[in-house]
mmCIF file of all heavy atoms in Angstrom:
data_model
loop_
_atom_site.group_PDB
_atom_site.id
_atom_site.type_symbol
_atom_site.label_atom_id
_atom_site.label_comp_id
_atom_site.label_asym_id
_atom_site.label_seq_id
_atom_site.Cartn_x
_atom_site.Cartn_y
_atom_site.Cartn_z
ATOM 1 N N SER E 1272 -2.949 -6.377 -12.688
ATOM 2 C CA SER E 1272 -2.910 -7.441 -11.610
ATOM 3 C C SER E 1272 -4.272 -8.243 -11.604
ATOM 4 O O SER E 1272 -4.396 -9.113 -10.821
ATOM 5 C CB SER E 1272 -2.832 -6.770 -10.268
ATOM 6 O OG SER E 1272 -1.653 -6.095 -10.105
ATOM 7 N N GLY E 1273 -5.096 -7.914 -12.645
ATOM 8 C CA GLY E 1273 -6.267 -8.810 -12.817
ATOM 9 C C GLY E 1273 -7.558 -8.281 -11.982
ATOM 10 O O GLY E 1273 -8.488 -8.991 -11.983
ATOM 11 N N PHE E 1274 -7.457 -7.100 -11.407
ATOM 12 C CA PHE E 1274 -8.535 -6.552 -10.700
ATOM 13 C C PHE E 1274 -9.420 -5.665 -11.627
ATOM 14 O O PHE E 1274 -8.924 -4.988 -12.548
ATOM 15 C CB PHE E 1274 -8.133 -5.727 -9.492
ATOM 16 C CG PHE E 1274 -7.600 -6.506 -8.371
ATOM 17 C CD1 PHE E 1274 -6.213 -6.703 -8.365
ATOM 18 C CD2 PHE E 1274 -8.327 -7.052 -7.446
ATOM 19 C CE1 PHE E 1274 -5.665 -7.481 -7.328
ATOM 20 C CE2 PHE E 1274 -7.827 -7.784 -6.416
ATOM 21 C CZ PHE E 1274 -6.451 -8.051 -6.382
ATOM 22 N N PRO E 1275 -10.780 -5.669 -11.432
ATOM 23 C CA PRO E 1275 -11.603 -4.808 -12.237
ATOM 24 C C PRO E 1275 -11.392 -3.355 -11.719
ATOM 25 O O PRO E 1275 -11.009 -3.148 -10.558
ATOM 26 C CB PRO E 1275 -13.031 -5.236 -11.895
ATOM 27 C CG PRO E 1275 -12.946 -5.945 -10.573
ATOM 28 C CD PRO E 1275 -11.463 -6.477 -10.527
ATOM 29 N N LEU E 1276 -11.879 -2.293 -12.402
ATOM 30 C CA LEU E 1276 -11.820 -0.923 -12.031
ATOM 31 C C LEU E 1276 -12.728 -0.640 -10.909
ATOM 32 O O LEU E 1276 -12.655 0.297 -10.139
ATOM 33 C CB LEU E 1276 -12.165 0.004 -13.146
ATOM 34 C CG LEU E 1276 -11.161 -0.012 -14.299
ATOM 35 C CD1 LEU E 1276 -11.596 0.834 -15.462
ATOM 36 C CD2 LEU E 1276 -9.827 0.558 -13.828
ATOM 37 N N THR E 1277 -13.639 -1.603 -10.674
ATOM 38 C CA THR E 1277 -14.608 -1.499 -9.506
ATOM 39 C C THR E 1277 -14.184 -2.107 -8.249
ATOM 40 O O THR E 1277 -14.833 -2.019 -7.223
ATOM 41 C CB THR E 1277 -15.963 -2.091 -9.909
ATOM 42 O OG1 THR E 1277 -15.768 -3.470 -10.238
ATOM 43 C CG2 THR E 1277 -16.585 -1.264 -11.063
ATOM 44 N N ALA E 1278 -12.874 -2.666 -8.275
ATOM 45 C CA ALA E 1278 -12.322 -3.308 -7.030
ATOM 46 C C ALA E 1278 -12.227 -2.319 -5.894
ATOM 47 O O ALA E 1278 -11.892 -1.126 -6.138
ATOM 48 C CB ALA E 1278 -11.031 -3.902 -7.330
ATOM 49 N N PRO E 1279 -12.508 -2.623 -4.698
ATOM 50 C CA PRO E 1279 -12.444 -1.724 -3.577
ATOM 51 C C PRO E 1279 -10.967 -1.392 -3.281
ATOM 52 O O PRO E 1279 -10.190 -2.248 -3.132
ATOM 53 C CB PRO E 1279 -13.137 -2.513 -2.368
ATOM 54 C CG PRO E 1279 -12.992 -3.944 -2.753
ATOM 55 C CD PRO E 1279 -13.060 -3.975 -4.298
ATOM 56 N N VAL E 1280 -10.785 -0.048 -3.273
ATOM 57 C CA VAL E 1280 -9.377 0.445 -2.938
ATOM 58 C C VAL E 1280 -9.523 1.390 -1.819
ATOM 59 O O VAL E 1280 -10.371 2.372 -1.799
ATOM 60 C CB VAL E 1280 -8.857 1.249 -4.186
ATOM 61 C CG1 VAL E 1280 -7.518 1.802 -3.787
ATOM 62 C CG2 VAL E 1280 -8.798 0.256 -5.428
ATOM 63 N N GLU E 1281 -8.718 1.151 -0.740
ATOM 64 C CA GLU E 1281 -8.665 1.983 0.479
ATOM 65 C C GLU E 1281 -7.350 2.705 0.539
ATOM 66 O O GLU E 1281 -6.298 1.979 0.427
ATOM 67 C CB GLU E 1281 -8.935 1.178 1.665
ATOM 68 C CG GLU E 1281 -8.840 1.978 2.969
ATOM 69 C CD GLU E 1281 -8.919 1.011 4.184
ATOM 70 O OE1 GLU E 1281 -9.321 -0.188 3.944
ATOM 71 O OE2 GLU E 1281 -8.547 1.455 5.324
ATOM 72 N N GLN E 1282 -7.258 3.981 0.686
ATOM 73 C CA GLN E 1282 -6.046 4.726 0.897
ATOM 74 C C GLN E 1282 -5.661 4.706 2.345
ATOM 75 O O GLN E 1282 -6.486 5.084 3.251
ATOM 76 C CB GLN E 1282 -6.139 6.125 0.398
ATOM 77 C CG GLN E 1282 -4.870 6.877 0.336
ATOM 78 C CD GLN E 1282 -4.994 8.271 -0.276
ATOM 79 O OE1 GLN E 1282 -5.617 8.351 -1.331
ATOM 80 N NE2 GLN E 1282 -4.334 9.158 0.348
ATOM 81 N N ARG E 1283 -4.436 4.312 2.628
ATOM 82 C CA ARG E 1283 -3.974 4.237 3.976
ATOM 83 C C ARG E 1283 -2.653 4.912 4.153
ATOM 84 O O ARG E 1283 -1.981 5.104 3.266
ATOM 85 C CB ARG E 1283 -3.717 2.758 4.468
ATOM 86 C CG ARG E 1283 -4.897 1.843 4.441
ATOM 87 C CD ARG E 1283 -4.636 0.427 4.881
ATOM 88 N NE ARG E 1283 -5.660 -0.514 4.800
ATOM 89 C CZ ARG E 1283 -5.608 -1.795 4.915
ATOM 90 N NH1 ARG E 1283 -4.351 -2.430 5.166
ATOM 91 N NH2 ARG E 1283 -6.678 -2.553 4.811
ATOM 92 N N GLU E 1284 -2.363 5.472 5.431
ATOM 93 C CA GLU E 1284 -1.123 6.094 5.659
ATOM 94 C C GLU E 1284 -0.347 5.123 6.545
ATOM 95 O O GLU E 1284 -0.849 4.695 7.631
ATOM 96 C CB GLU E 1284 -1.341 7.405 6.426
ATOM 97 C CG GLU E 1284 -1.908 8.538 5.502
ATOM 98 C CD GLU E 1284 -0.972 8.929 4.398
ATOM 99 O OE1 GLU E 1284 0.245 9.099 4.631
ATOM 100 O OE2 GLU E 1284 -1.461 9.162 3.285
ATOM 101 N N LEU E 1285 0.730 4.549 6.075
ATOM 102 C CA LEU E 1285 1.548 3.735 6.860
ATOM 103 C C LEU E 1285 2.925 4.383 6.995
ATOM 104 O O LEU E 1285 3.591 4.583 5.919
ATOM 105 C CB LEU E 1285 1.785 2.270 6.165
ATOM 106 C CG LEU E 1285 0.418 1.539 6.027
ATOM 107 C CD1 LEU E 1285 0.686 0.216 5.330
ATOM 108 C CD2 LEU E 1285 -0.124 1.241 7.360
ATOM 109 N N ASN E 1286 3.449 4.662 8.107
ATOM 110 C CA ASN E 1286 4.676 5.199 8.279
ATOM 111 C C ASN E 1286 4.890 6.604 7.576
ATOM 112 O O ASN E 1286 5.957 6.906 7.118
ATOM 113 C CB ASN E 1286 5.780 4.201 7.941
ATOM 114 C CG ASN E 1286 7.223 4.697 8.350
ATOM 115 O OD1 ASN E 1286 7.330 4.961 9.533
ATOM 116 N ND2 ASN E 1286 8.150 4.801 7.530
ATOM 117 N N GLY E 1287 3.793 7.337 7.529
ATOM 118 C CA GLY E 1287 3.753 8.582 6.852
ATOM 119 C C GLY E 1287 3.759 8.500 5.339
ATOM 120 O O GLY E 1287 3.947 9.561 4.679
ATOM 121 N N GLN E 1288 3.519 7.397 4.771
ATOM 122 C CA GLN E 1288 3.600 7.228 3.301
ATOM 123 C C GLN E 1288 2.255 6.642 2.836
ATOM 124 O O GLN E 1288 1.654 5.854 3.586
ATOM 125 C CB GLN E 1288 4.692 6.350 2.752
ATOM 126 C CG GLN E 1288 6.032 7.061 3.061
ATOM 127 C CD GLN E 1288 7.304 6.409 2.397
ATOM 128 O OE1 GLN E 1288 7.472 5.253 2.395
ATOM 129 N NE2 GLN E 1288 7.877 7.234 1.523
ATOM 130 N N THR E 1289 1.797 6.996 1.714
ATOM 131 C CA THR E 1289 0.522 6.540 1.188
ATOM 132 C C THR E 1289 0.607 5.097 0.604
ATOM 133 O O THR E 1289 1.526 4.907 -0.218
ATOM 134 C CB THR E 1289 -0.017 7.426 0.114
ATOM 135 O OG1 THR E 1289 -0.153 8.785 0.641
ATOM 136 C CG2 THR E 1289 -1.363 7.065 -0.335
ATOM 137 N N VAL E 1290 -0.371 4.230 1.045
ATOM 138 C CA VAL E 1290 -0.460 2.935 0.564
ATOM 139 C C VAL E 1290 -1.812 2.616 0.128
ATOM 140 O O VAL E 1290 -2.679 2.968 0.845
ATOM 141 C CB VAL E 1290 0.072 1.884 1.559
ATOM 142 C CG1 VAL E 1290 -0.152 0.411 1.223
ATOM 143 C CG2 VAL E 1290 1.517 2.120 2.028
ATOM 144 N N TYR E 1291 -2.040 1.884 -1.010
ATOM 145 C CA TYR E 1291 -3.377 1.647 -1.382
ATOM 146 C C TYR E 1291 -3.623 0.145 -1.094
ATOM 147 O O TYR E 1291 -2.804 -0.695 -1.541
ATOM 148 C CB TYR E 1291 -3.530 1.922 -2.869
ATOM 149 C CG TYR E 1291 -3.306 3.362 -3.206
ATOM 150 C CD1 TYR E 1291 -2.052 3.891 -3.673
ATOM 151 C CD2 TYR E 1291 -4.327 4.265 -3.022
ATOM 152 C CE1 TYR E 1291 -1.896 5.208 -3.922
ATOM 153 C CE2 TYR E 1291 -4.085 5.638 -3.316
ATOM 154 C CZ TYR E 1291 -2.888 6.060 -3.732
ATOM 155 O OH TYR E 1291 -2.676 7.429 -4.018
ATOM 156 N N ALA E 1292 -4.726 0.039 -0.385
ATOM 157 C CA ALA E 1292 -5.059 -1.424 -0.021
ATOM 158 C C ALA E 1292 -6.241 -1.867 -0.999
ATOM 159 O O ALA E 1292 -7.259 -1.249 -1.005
ATOM 160 C CB ALA E 1292 -5.539 -1.546 1.450
ATOM 161 N N VAL E 1293 -5.950 -2.981 -1.650
ATOM 162 C CA VAL E 1293 -7.033 -3.425 -2.634
ATOM 163 C C VAL E 1293 -7.508 -4.790 -2.158
ATOM 164 O O VAL E 1293 -6.859 -5.614 -1.587
ATOM 165 C CB VAL E 1293 -6.284 -3.645 -4.056
ATOM 166 C CG1 VAL E 1293 -7.291 -4.061 -5.082
ATOM 167 C CG2 VAL E 1293 -5.660 -2.369 -4.492
ATOM 168 N N ASP E 1294 -8.874 -4.973 -2.350
ATOM 169 C CA ASP E 1294 -9.545 -6.218 -2.001
ATOM 170 C C ASP E 1294 -9.276 -6.486 -0.487
ATOM 171 O O ASP E 1294 -8.842 -7.713 -0.163
ATOM 172 C CB ASP E 1294 -9.000 -7.385 -2.882
ATOM 173 C CG ASP E 1294 -9.756 -8.632 -2.790
ATOM 174 O OD1 ASP E 1294 -10.997 -8.504 -2.500
ATOM 175 O OD2 ASP E 1294 -9.045 -9.762 -2.864
ATOM 176 N N GLY E 1295 -9.545 -5.553 0.390
ATOM 177 C CA GLY E 1295 -9.478 -5.730 1.838
ATOM 178 C C GLY E 1295 -8.053 -5.964 2.314
ATOM 179 O O GLY E 1295 -7.763 -6.424 3.376
ATOM 180 N N GLY E 1296 -7.083 -5.429 1.585
ATOM 181 C CA GLY E 1296 -5.704 -5.518 1.912
ATOM 182 C C GLY E 1296 -4.924 -6.743 1.357
ATOM 183 O O GLY E 1296 -3.757 -6.880 1.810
ATOM 184 N N ASN E 1297 -5.479 -7.533 0.569
ATOM 185 C CA ASN E 1297 -4.883 -8.701 -0.100
ATOM 186 C C ASN E 1297 -3.737 -8.282 -0.954
ATOM 187 O O ASN E 1297 -2.693 -8.955 -1.094
ATOM 188 C CB ASN E 1297 -5.755 -9.561 -0.722
ATOM 189 C CG ASN E 1297 -6.691 -10.412 0.287
ATOM 190 O OD1 ASN E 1297 -6.141 -10.699 1.312
ATOM 191 N ND2 ASN E 1297 -7.845 -10.513 -0.081
ATOM 192 N N LEU E 1298 -3.923 -7.044 -1.573
ATOM 193 C CA LEU E 1298 -2.894 -6.479 -2.400
ATOM 194 C C LEU E 1298 -2.561 -4.978 -1.835
ATOM 195 O O LEU E 1298 -3.517 -4.314 -1.665
ATOM 196 C CB LEU E 1298 -3.382 -6.362 -3.849
ATOM 197 C CG LEU E 1298 -2.563 -5.496 -4.815
ATOM 198 C CD1 LEU E 1298 -1.196 -6.134 -4.939
ATOM 199 C CD2 LEU E 1298 -3.186 -5.272 -6.116
ATOM 200 N N LEU E 1299 -1.366 -4.753 -1.609
ATOM 201 C CA LEU E 1299 -0.917 -3.390 -1.161
ATOM 202 C C LEU E 1299 -0.052 -2.858 -2.236
ATOM 203 O O LEU E 1299 0.863 -3.477 -2.745
ATOM 204 C CB LEU E 1299 -0.153 -3.409 0.158
ATOM 205 C CG LEU E 1299 -0.928 -4.015 1.398
ATOM 206 C CD1 LEU E 1299 -0.047 -4.024 2.651
ATOM 207 C CD2 LEU E 1299 -2.133 -3.105 1.669
ATOM 208 N N ILE E 1300 -0.413 -1.584 -2.643
ATOM 209 C CA ILE E 1300 0.360 -0.883 -3.645
ATOM 210 C C ILE E 1300 0.950 0.425 -3.070
ATOM 211 O O ILE E 1300 0.148 1.149 -2.532
ATOM 212 C CB ILE E 1300 -0.470 -0.563 -4.800
ATOM 213 C CG1 ILE E 1300 -1.138 -1.855 -5.470
ATOM 214 C CG2 ILE E 1300 0.242 0.265 -5.856
ATOM 215 C CD1 ILE E 1300 -2.134 -1.541 -6.576
ATOM 216 N N CYS E 1301 2.311 0.575 -3.142
ATOM 217 C CA CYS E 1301 2.897 1.808 -2.704
ATOM 218 C C CYS E 1301 3.563 2.516 -3.809
ATOM 219 O O CYS E 1301 4.471 1.913 -4.537
ATOM 220 C CB CYS E 1301 3.925 1.390 -1.637
ATOM 221 S SG CYS E 1301 4.667 2.794 -0.790
ATOM 222 N N LEU E 1302 3.113 3.744 -4.022
ATOM 223 C CA LEU E 1302 3.664 4.500 -5.161
ATOM 224 C C LEU E 1302 4.628 5.569 -4.846
ATOM 225 O O LEU E 1302 4.953 6.461 -5.607
ATOM 226 C CB LEU E 1302 2.497 5.068 -6.036
ATOM 227 C CG LEU E 1302 1.513 3.971 -6.593
ATOM 228 C CD1 LEU E 1302 0.337 4.763 -7.226
ATOM 229 C CD2 LEU E 1302 2.193 3.071 -7.490
ATOM 230 N N ASN E 1303 5.043 5.605 -3.616
ATOM 231 C CA ASN E 1303 5.925 6.665 -3.033
ATOM 232 C C ASN E 1303 7.453 6.412 -3.675
ATOM 233 O O ASN E 1303 7.927 5.465 -3.721
ATOM 234 C CB ASN E 1303 6.101 6.611 -1.525
ATOM 235 C CG ASN E 1303 4.782 6.925 -0.910
ATOM 236 O OD1 ASN E 1303 4.251 8.026 -0.896
ATOM 237 N ND2 ASN E 1303 4.114 5.951 -0.307
ATOM 238 N N VAL E 1304 8.016 7.633 -4.008
ATOM 239 C CA VAL E 1304 9.330 7.641 -4.422
ATOM 240 C C VAL E 1304 9.993 8.760 -3.628
ATOM 241 O O VAL E 1304 9.646 9.883 -3.733
ATOM 242 C CB VAL E 1304 9.465 7.951 -5.940
ATOM 243 C CG1 VAL E 1304 10.962 8.057 -6.324
ATOM 244 C CG2 VAL E 1304 8.800 6.876 -6.780
ATOM 245 N N PRO E 1305 11.009 8.430 -2.829
ATOM 246 C CA PRO E 1305 11.529 7.101 -2.397
ATOM 247 C C PRO E 1305 10.579 6.427 -1.474
ATOM 248 O O PRO E 1305 9.768 7.076 -0.765
ATOM 249 C CB PRO E 1305 12.835 7.401 -1.853
ATOM 250 C CG PRO E 1305 12.658 8.731 -1.117
ATOM 251 C CD PRO E 1305 11.772 9.514 -2.028
ATOM 252 N N ILE E 1306 10.788 5.122 -1.243
ATOM 253 C CA ILE E 1306 10.011 4.406 -0.288
ATOM 254 C C ILE E 1306 10.921 4.166 0.900
ATOM 255 O O ILE E 1306 12.105 3.874 0.731
ATOM 256 C CB ILE E 1306 9.504 3.037 -0.866
ATOM 257 C CG1 ILE E 1306 8.410 2.477 0.200
ATOM 258 C CG2 ILE E 1306 10.568 2.141 -1.200
ATOM 259 C CD1 ILE E 1306 7.638 1.310 -0.327
ATOM 260 N N GLU E 1307 10.432 4.409 2.080
ATOM 261 C CA GLU E 1307 11.192 4.241 3.344
ATOM 262 C C GLU E 1307 11.310 2.766 3.649
ATOM 263 O O GLU E 1307 10.403 2.032 3.511
ATOM 264 C CB GLU E 1307 10.654 5.012 4.428
ATOM 265 C CG GLU E 1307 10.468 6.498 4.217
ATOM 266 C CD GLU E 1307 11.733 7.317 4.135
ATOM 267 O OE1 GLU E 1307 12.762 6.835 4.825
ATOM 268 O OE2 GLU E 1307 11.976 8.222 3.359
ATOM 269 N N GLU E 1308 12.568 2.358 4.149
ATOM 270 C CA GLU E 1308 12.784 0.887 4.607
ATOM 271 C C GLU E 1308 11.725 0.618 5.599
ATOM 272 O O GLU E 1308 11.104 -0.472 5.699
ATOM 273 C CB GLU E 1308 14.085 0.812 5.071
ATOM 274 C CG GLU E 1308 14.453 -0.599 5.486
ATOM 275 C CD GLU E 1308 15.843 -0.784 5.856
ATOM 276 O OE1 GLU E 1308 16.759 0.084 5.683
ATOM 277 O OE2 GLU E 1308 16.273 -1.899 6.328
ATOM 278 N N THR E 1309 11.451 1.552 6.544
ATOM 279 C CA THR E 1309 10.543 1.279 7.670
ATOM 280 C C THR E 1309 9.036 1.002 7.113
ATOM 281 O O THR E 1309 8.293 0.152 7.604
ATOM 282 C CB THR E 1309 10.379 2.316 8.727
ATOM 283 O OG1 THR E 1309 10.301 3.698 8.082
ATOM 284 C CG2 THR E 1309 11.698 2.277 9.509
ATOM 285 N N THR E 1310 8.723 1.771 6.033
ATOM 286 C CA THR E 1310 7.454 1.526 5.403
ATOM 287 C C THR E 1310 7.342 0.147 4.823
ATOM 288 O O THR E 1310 6.377 -0.534 4.896
ATOM 289 C CB THR E 1310 7.128 2.560 4.211
ATOM 290 O OG1 THR E 1310 7.197 3.831 4.831
ATOM 291 C CG2 THR E 1310 5.902 2.308 3.523
ATOM 292 N N LEU E 1311 8.437 -0.345 4.214
ATOM 293 C CA LEU E 1311 8.447 -1.634 3.591
ATOM 294 C C LEU E 1311 8.313 -2.708 4.754
ATOM 295 O O LEU E 1311 7.597 -3.726 4.621
ATOM 296 C CB LEU E 1311 9.755 -1.980 2.870
ATOM 297 C CG LEU E 1311 9.924 -1.197 1.581
ATOM 298 C CD1 LEU E 1311 11.438 -1.091 1.209
ATOM 299 C CD2 LEU E 1311 9.027 -1.708 0.550
ATOM 300 N N ARG E 1312 8.898 -2.526 5.841
ATOM 301 C CA ARG E 1312 8.608 -3.402 6.998
ATOM 302 C C ARG E 1312 7.237 -3.384 7.508
ATOM 303 O O ARG E 1312 6.777 -4.496 7.838
ATOM 304 C CB ARG E 1312 9.771 -3.080 8.088
ATOM 305 C CG ARG E 1312 11.120 -3.317 7.713
ATOM 306 C CD ARG E 1312 12.087 -3.383 8.734
ATOM 307 N NE ARG E 1312 13.462 -3.210 8.302
ATOM 308 C CZ ARG E 1312 14.145 -4.048 7.610
ATOM 309 N NH1 ARG E 1312 13.495 -5.098 7.061
ATOM 310 N NH2 ARG E 1312 15.412 -3.913 7.185
ATOM 311 N N VAL E 1313 6.616 -2.230 7.564
ATOM 312 C CA VAL E 1313 5.226 -2.130 7.949
ATOM 313 C C VAL E 1313 4.330 -2.863 6.971
ATOM 314 O O VAL E 1313 3.324 -3.555 7.339
ATOM 315 C CB VAL E 1313 4.807 -0.670 8.204
ATOM 316 C CG1 VAL E 1313 3.291 -0.569 8.365
ATOM 317 C CG2 VAL E 1313 5.601 -0.042 9.363
ATOM 318 N N LEU E 1314 4.666 -2.780 5.651
ATOM 319 C CA LEU E 1314 3.902 -3.532 4.670
ATOM 320 C C LEU E 1314 3.938 -5.042 5.004
ATOM 321 O O LEU E 1314 2.937 -5.769 4.822
ATOM 322 C CB LEU E 1314 4.479 -3.276 3.257
ATOM 323 C CG LEU E 1314 4.206 -1.920 2.726
ATOM 324 C CD1 LEU E 1314 4.977 -1.728 1.333
ATOM 325 C CD2 LEU E 1314 2.762 -1.682 2.506
ATOM 326 N N ILE E 1315 5.049 -5.537 5.302
ATOM 327 C CA ILE E 1315 5.252 -6.955 5.581
ATOM 328 C C ILE E 1315 4.395 -7.344 6.811
ATOM 329 O O ILE E 1315 3.719 -8.344 6.813
ATOM 330 C CB ILE E 1315 6.795 -7.273 5.828
ATOM 331 C CG1 ILE E 1315 7.543 -7.216 4.627
ATOM 332 C CG2 ILE E 1315 6.849 -8.802 6.422
ATOM 333 C CD1 ILE E 1315 9.054 -7.330 4.776
ATOM 334 N N GLU E 1316 4.357 -6.517 7.743
ATOM 335 C CA GLU E 1316 3.504 -6.808 9.070
ATOM 336 C C GLU E 1316 2.058 -6.788 8.740
ATOM 337 O O GLU E 1316 1.329 -7.456 9.461
ATOM 338 C CB GLU E 1316 3.806 -5.571 10.090
ATOM 339 C CG GLU E 1316 5.223 -5.647 10.677
ATOM 340 C CD GLU E 1316 5.460 -4.426 11.497
ATOM 341 O OE1 GLU E 1316 4.545 -3.610 11.768
ATOM 342 O OE2 GLU E 1316 6.698 -4.406 12.013
#
């Protein structure tokens, strides 16, 4: 995605699933399988 390995990454729990916030939350990465529909809606929010 063009980020250096030193980019700030924060692990968050959204709707009980782990989400990684990169660059202050400008990029959100969710690696959960399966991903819940409610988690996707929280990501949009």
Side-chain angles (χ1 to χ4, degrees):
S1272 296
F1274 289 92
L1276 292 175
T1277 57
V1280 177
E1281 176 188 346
Q1282 184 174 323
R1283 299 179 183 173
E1284 290 294 318
L1285 298 177
N1286 193 50
Q1288 295 194 302
T1289 302
V1290 174
Y1291 300 96
V1293 183
D1294 191 31
N1297 288 322
L1298 169 63
L1299 297 179
I1300 300 174
C1301 187
L1302 303 175
N1303 293 290
V1304 176
I1306 190 167
E1307 302 292 327
E1308 183 174 354
T1309 51
T1310 301
L1311 291 162
R1312 297 195 193 293
V1313 172
L1314 289 174
I1315 293 169
E1316 291 171 5

